[in-house]
């Protein structure tokens, strides 16, 4: 009888101990291993597109602040894209970049003057830089920050 009570109590305590070691939060959302954009190329055609903004989407790598800016291969002109990213499903972030902003950048940098080839189309870059907020937390970014870029085929 004592042996049976001992076995039952041992089983109960063992199951309680082992169940406290298991953490079941479900599948969860996977953490990104690096910074990347949804697309590496975008086409912007001011005359034929039915939308008025480019939507830039990326996976939030967590523990990061982001900077989005435009650049080109011909001049040193850089233009910061303002606005707050919108949080989407599964840790995605998106930012709308109005076509008018892209057009202003191309005009300010004088990229369609003919000095760099065409007078109605040019490639520009949209850059996304992620900088870790807290260096003591894990991050998919380099300690100094990581930058990726996509090409925008801009047509007037």
């Amino acid at each position: 009888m004592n042996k049976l009570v001992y076995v039952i109590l041992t089983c109960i305590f063992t199951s309680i101990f082992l169940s406290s070691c298991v953490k079941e939060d479900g599948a969860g959302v996977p953490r990104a291993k690096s910074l990347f954009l949804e697309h590496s190329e975008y086409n912007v055609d001011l005359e034929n597109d039915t939308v008025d903004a480019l939507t830039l989407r990326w996976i939030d790598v967590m523990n990061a602040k982001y900077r989005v800016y435009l650049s080109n291969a011909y001049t040193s002109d850089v233009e910061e894209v303002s606005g707050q990213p919108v949080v989407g499903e599964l840790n995605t972030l998106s930012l709308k970049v109005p076509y008018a902003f892209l057009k202003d950048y191309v005009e300010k940098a004088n990229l369609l003057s003919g000095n760099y080839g065409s007078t109605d189309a040019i490639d520009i870059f949209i850059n996304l830089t992620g900088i870790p907020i807290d260096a003591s937390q894990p991050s998919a970014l380099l300690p100094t920050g990581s930058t990726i870029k996509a090409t925008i085929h801009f047509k007037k």
Side-chain angles (χ1 to χ4, degrees):
M1 177 79 168
N2 285 342
K3 191 173 187 181
L4 181 62
V5 171
Y6 174 75
V7 169
I8 292 172
L9 288 176
T10 303
C11 288
I12 291 172
F13 287 125
T14 303
S15 66
I16 291 171
F17 174 74
L18 291 177
S19 67
S20 68
C21 294
V22 175
K23 183 177 179 184
E24 292 186 31
D25 290 336
V29 177
R31 179 171 279 201
K33 300 216 185 291
S34 65
L35 187 61
F36 64 93
L37 292 169
E38 179 182 40
H39 300 288
S40 60
E41 294 186 38
Y42 296 88
N43 291 306
V44 172
D45 186 340
L46 295 182
E47 285 187 18
N48 298 319
D49 283 352
T50 58
V51 295
D52 63 350
L54 177 146
T55 302
L56 186 69
R57 284 189 194 89
W58 67 95
I59 302 293
D60 186 6
V61 296
M62 309 304 232
N63 184 34
K65 62 181 178 179
Y66 298 101
R67 177 178 172 240
V68 179
Y69 59 96
L70 299 176
S71 65
N72 67 78
Y74 309 104
T75 69
S76 60
D77 294 312
V78 173
E79 187 77 30
E80 188 95 19
V81 178
S82 61
Q84 286 288 80
V86 176
V87 178
E89 294 180 12
L90 300 175
N91 290 338
T92 59
L93 296 174
S94 63
L95 182 65
K96 289 200 178 282
V97 182
Y99 280 8
F101 181 78
L102 298 173
K103 182 180 177 190
D104 287 346
Y105 171 76
V106 168
E107 289 174 354
K108 281 183 195 174
N110 203 23
L111 295 175
L112 294 177
S113 64
N115 295 335
Y116 309 109
S118 176
T119 58
D120 67 343
I122 192 102
D123 287 347
I124 59 176
F125 305 113
I126 189 154
N127 306 273
L128 173 66
T129 298
I131 301 166
I133 297 171
D134 183 358
S136 66
Q137 297 295 318
S139 177
L141 305 170
L142 296 172
T144 57
S146 300
T147 300
I148 55 172
K149 69 177 157 181
T151 303
I152 300 173
H153 305 291
F154 181 86
K155 185 175 180 190
K156 201 160 77 164

